Amino acid sequence: MKSLLLIFAIQTTFSVYSQKIKIDDNIAYLDGIAWVKYEKKNMANEASVMGLESQSEEIFILYQNYADPNNISKANPEGKVRWLEINFLTLGIKCEIANETHKGVVKVLADNKIYKDGVLNAENAALLVKKYGTRFSDNRPRNGSVNIIIQN
């Protein structure tokens, strides 16, 4: 009986705090309410995001990857490192997050309150950039190239 009650409590918690996200006709919906314009591009390897009333792209999302021999495993035989680059075009800042689906990207943006009342929130975008930084591209191997400085 206790385990049944525990399972019910966990399910209730997740259903209360999770948001239902849907992307349809270039609109991302949170719990059935239109939230932002979200357009998948380039065979879904890129996306553009903007407020519902905005006429220009505000966020550009690019799916990135590279092969790292240190990450080769049975589950990842090519050693691919995958991430998303989130560019806040109107603010001139960017960050990188772990690979997500398009719905996952909308969830990250929603959880971090990137849009408030349909308008891009610069303060929250800056916090997201501080939070995640550019750790994937910063840690990317440079293909063994080394810069040698020769001084005379």
Side-chain angles (χ1 to χ4, degrees):
M1 182 66 176
K2 284 184 180 181
S3 62
L4 244 176
L5 187 58
L6 179 63
I7 291 171
F8 176 74
I10 291 171
Q11 284 180 329
T12 303
T13 301
F14 282 117
S15 65
V16 168
Y17 291 107
S18 66
Q19 295 171 318
K20 186 171 190 249
I21 297 169
K22 181 180 176 183
I23 301 172
D24 190 31
D25 290 331
N26 295 334
I27 302 290
Y29 296 86
L30 293 179
D31 297 326
I33 299 169
W35 187 59
V36 292
K37 294 177 190 175
Y38 190 97
E39 182 182 349
K40 299 175 193 175
K41 299 178 173 185
N42 192 18
M43 297 178 58
N45 289 322
E46 301 172 355
S48 291
V49 183
M50 63 187 81
L52 292 172
E53 301 301 319
S54 178
Q55 299 302 313
S56 60
E57 182 179 41
E58 296 170 318
I59 300 173
F60 178 72
I61 298 160
L62 181 62
Y63 284 75
Q64 299 272 30
N65 70 72
Y66 65 86
D68 183 350
N70 296 325
N71 286 336
I72 293 176
S73 67
K74 286 184 179 181
N76 187 4
E78 295 177 8
K80 290 282 186 176
V81 176
R82 295 177 174 92
W83 75 96
L84 296 170
E85 183 179 281
I86 302 175
N87 292 286
F88 294 92
L89 301 173
T90 56
L91 304 175
I93 56 177
K94 72 178 180 177
C95 66
E96 299 169 349
I97 63 170
N99 195 33
E100 287 284 349
T101 64
H102 289 284
K103 286 182 180 181
V105 172
V106 171
K107 181 167 178 30
V108 167
L109 297 176
D111 288 348
N112 288 281
K113 298 174 177 64
I114 299 302
Y115 282 88
K116 278 187 171 179
D117 301 322
V119 177
L120 181 65
N121 183 294
E123 186 176 309
N124 289 348
L127 287 174
L128 183 74
V129 169
K130 278 186 180 179
K131 184 177 178 180
Y132 288 103
T134 55
R135 66 181 187 259
F136 292 98
S137 57
D138 290 346
N139 293 324
R140 183 177 186 163
R142 303 293 175 216
N143 296 328
S145 62
V146 178
N147 291 335
I148 299 173
I149 300 171
I150 301 173
Q151 296 179 345
N152 287 338

